[in-house]
Amino acid sequence: MVIKQVKVVLLTGGSSGIGAATARLLAEAGITVYAGSRRGTVEKPAPRIIPVQLDVNDETSLKSTVERIVSEQGHLDAVVCNAGNGIYGPVEGATDEELRYQFETCFFGSFKTIQACLPVFRRQGFGRIVTVTSVMAILQLPFQGFYSAAKAALLSLSESLSMELKGTGIECCSVLPGDVATGFTAARKFTVAAQDPGSPYRERMDRNLKKIEKDELGGMTPDVIGKAIRKQLMRKHMAIRVIPRIDYGAVGFLVRILPERGKLWLLDLLYS
Ligand SMILES: NC(=O)c1ccc[n+]([C@@H]2O[C@H](COP(=O)([O-])OP(=O)(O)OC[C@H]3O[C@@H](n4cnc5c(N)ncnc54)[C@H](OP(=O)(O)O)[C@@H]3O)[C@@H](O)[C@H]2O)c1
């Protein structure tokens, strides 16, 4: 079988926000989407959206979902690793467990999802891997070091993998959203140190949190990111790294050209 067009997609984190918008936009373009999440629901049922209950931290549920897709559709053309969460707090006083919580879903969950799909893609000689990372993979903010680190690790993995897969017909693209208004803000967890009223970071954390929550809640609609993902999946060859919306793209460019110390000075001024 020669696959040239993406027709069947496994998408993680499909129950809300960016994932739900992406599922809807892909389905409208005639693509069948298996929308996976722990809830196993979709915001708006649609003919080509198939809700699937899965946990990206559970290899068995990922493997059986991939097997189900291949048995029902005969092929799986792309995966969108979008499931994610966030934990907030200073590096000082954080526990291993808190750091692991962040890496578990955002990094290991995406890694396991990719691992579950790769044998199918290799057999087909075709596959598209999209990871939803964040501008915070390239732009670090105070008190969100764990989130930045997990997303930077996933971005690195995607780019290494894209080189490893050269000549296989499998391509990788990472989409780096800026602020998007979704349930992500309300679902954010806080480390024990972040909740300490006597923390030496208290005043700066309070100011910082107010700003990031305001930015997120007043951010882009999830459709902006969904459209960027759809555009990549419909291209003959995907870009390696995509920062949706011109203003965030410009920030990405600035990050590349500013001296590191200048960049951190500016971010600290704006965010703490
Ligand atoms: N919102 C932003 O400003 C922003 C900016 C940059 C990047 N991002 C990234 O965009 C992605 C989507 O986030 P969002 O903003 O759309 O937030 P969201 O509305 O909270 O969506 C997160 C999705 O991930 C799913 N999920 C969480 N843990 C999971 C697990 N272990 N297994 C399977 N599914 C899981 C959730 O569904 P269940 O709870 O049903 O499992 C939900 O569908 C995340 O990777 C996030 O880091 C968001």
Side-chain angles (χ1 to χ4, degrees):
M1 175 194 2
V2 183
I3 301 167
K4 289 212 171 90
Q5 244 190 323
V6 171
K7 285 279 169 207
V8 180
V9 172
L10 167 61
L11 166 94
T12 66
S15 59
S16 62
I18 293 171
T22 306
R24 179 176 39 77
L25 287 160
L26 292 178
E28 282 169 13
I31 295 170
T32 300
V33 184
Y34 285 76
S37 65
R38 291 165 304 179
R39 274 171 280 180
T41 55
V42 285
E43 270 175 2
K44 284 191 197 132
R48 287 191 200 84
I49 304 179
I50 301 163
V52 180
Q53 192 166 28
L54 66 78
D55 185 335
V56 295
N57 298 312
D58 172 8
E59 281 164 67
T60 317
S61 80
L62 285 167
K63 208 166 161 256
S64 63
T65 302
V66 171
E67 280 166 9
R68 174 184 162 191
I69 298 173
V70 175
S71 90
E72 287 178 2
Q73 307 290 335
H75 55 110
L76 168 63
D77 312 327
V79 62
V80 180
C81 301
N82 165 73
N85 54 19
I87 190 164
Y88 180 96
V91 174
E92 186 178 351
T95 64
D96 280 13
E97 206 183 318
E98 289 165 339
L99 183 56
R100 278 181 216 284
Y101 167 82
Q102 184 64 84
F103 269 75
E104 203 58 53
T105 299
C106 282
F107 179 75
F108 287 102
S110 298
F111 162 69
K112 286 180 191 144
T113 307
I114 294 168
Q115 291 280 54
C117 298
L118 270 175
V120 177
F121 293 164
R122 186 172 277 284
R123 215 168 40 239
Q124 294 172 164
F126 182 91
R128 298 284 178 261
I129 299 169
V130 176
T131 49
V132 178
T133 54
S134 169
V135 286
M136 287 184 58
I138 54 167
L139 187 155
Q140 299 72 27
L141 295 186
F143 313 119
Q144 293 205 74
F146 312 130
Y147 183 71
S148 276
K151 291 296 190 180
L154 183 58
L155 176 63
S156 280
L157 184 97
S158 164
E159 297 189 358
S160 290
L161 187 61
S162 75
M163 288 184 277
E164 291 173 13
L165 292 171
K166 200 171 84 183
T168 61
I170 309 168
E171 293 182 8
C172 303
C173 165
S174 193
V175 175
L176 287 68
D179 294 307
V180 188
T182 67
F184 185 86
T185 310
R188 178 179 279 119
K189 295 217 182 307
F190 295 86
T191 64
V192 171
Q195 298 173 57
D196 175 5
S199 165
Y201 301 105
R202 188 72 274 145
E203 220 179 288
R204 289 171 66 211
M205 275 196 294
D206 288 347
R207 264 203 312 273
N208 169 272
L209 190 60
K210 217 164 138 189
K211 171 149 179 59
I212 60 166
E213 286 187 342
K214 185 168 170 254
D215 288 352
E216 284 169 6
L217 295 173
M220 295 175 265
T221 64
D223 277 31
V224 176
I225 312 304
K227 283 180 187 162
I229 294 170
R230 182 177 66 181
K231 184 174 167 192
Q232 291 307 314
L233 288 177
M234 297 185 98
R235 283 177 61 165
K236 191 169 175 207
H237 294 291
M238 298 198 296
I240 299 288
R241 194 187 276 204
V242 175
I243 304 179
R245 222 174 71 174
I246 194 159
D247 46 351
Y248 287 101
V251 170
F253 175 71
L254 264 182
V255 165
R256 279 214 306 270
I257 59 168
L258 273 178
E260 207 59 23
R261 192 172 288 279
K263 179 187 95 176
L264 295 190
W265 177 83
L266 189 65
L267 288 172
D268 188 52
L269 190 74
L270 290 170
Y271 285 92
S272 67

